[in-house]
């Protein structure tokens, strides 16, 4: 059973930084693409970033390009999201998700970690 556990959320002032981590278990980590998504109160969940099995290709939402960096450590079964220059509109619950290589959808999700950016 795939388990994803996020950590690293918190309260930060605008312009600050946070690094989220997502530790994975119950899967062959290098066989999965990993993604970060977020959901703000009253809004739909939205894509933030995703990376393939090797971490060689990473994709970002336009709203976070140049500020967020996603990386993965296959030796530690962990994926990270470094968030810099945070804005109040980045406030959301951030979720980690996994997608088996070749599959269409992200099928396993973590419980989420709250990120709050104060102005």
């Amino acid at each position: 059973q795939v388990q994803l556990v996020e950590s690293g959320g918190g309260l930060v002032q605008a312009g600050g930084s946070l690094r989220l981590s997502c530790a994975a278990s119950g899967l062959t980590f290098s066989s999965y693409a990993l993604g970060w998504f977020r959901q703000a109160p009253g809004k739909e969940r939205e894509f933030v970033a995703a990376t393939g099995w090797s971490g060689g290709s990473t994709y970002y939402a336009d709203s976070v390009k140049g500020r967020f960096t996603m990386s993965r450590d296959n030796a530690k079964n962990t994926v990270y999201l470094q968030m810099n220059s945070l804005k109040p509109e980045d406030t959301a619950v951030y979720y980690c998700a996994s997608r088996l290589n070749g599959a269409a959808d992200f099928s396993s999700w973590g419980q989420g970690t709250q990120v709050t950016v104060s102005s």
Side-chain angles (χ1 to χ4, degrees), residues 63-75:
S63 59
V64 307
K65 274 182 187 175
R67 300 187 299 120
F68 291 11
T69 303
M70 183 177 183
S71 61
R72 63 186 291 164
D73 186 338
N74 285 356

Side-chain angles (χ1 to χ4, degrees), residues 4-19:
L4 303 170
V5 180
E6 302 96 335
S7 60
L11 173 64
V12 64
Q13 288 190 329
S17 298
L18 282 174
R19 188 174 84 151

Side-chain angles (χ1 to χ4, degrees), residues 12-110:
V12 64
Q13 288 190 329
S17 298
L18 282 174
R19 188 174 84 151
L20 306 184
S21 299
C22 173
S25 60
L27 76 170
T28 302
F29 191 69
S30 60
S31 295
Y32 285 75
L34 278 297
W36 286 99
F37 295 77
R38 67 186 182 186
Q39 187 167 21
K43 295 189 177 181
E44 303 229 336
R45 185 171 60 197
E46 65 175 2
F47 168 77
V48 175
T51 187
W53 68 272
S54 69
S57 297
T58 307
Y59 306 91
Y60 298 94
D62 288 343
S63 59
V64 307
K65 274 182 187 175
R67 300 187 299 120
F68 291 11
T69 303
M70 183 177 183
S71 61
R72 63 186 291 164
D73 186 338
N74 285 356
K76 295 183 178 180
N77 282 16
T78 301
V79 64
Y80 305 96
L81 185 68
Q82 177 66 45
M83 306 186 295
N84 299 328
S85 302
L86 283 160
K87 304 175 181 180
E89 52 263 43
D90 294 318
T91 295
V93 177
Y94 284 70
Y95 298 91
C96 174
S98 66
R99 185 189 72 209
L100 183 62
N101 289 340
D105 300 315
F106 287 88
S107 57
S108 295
W109 296 80

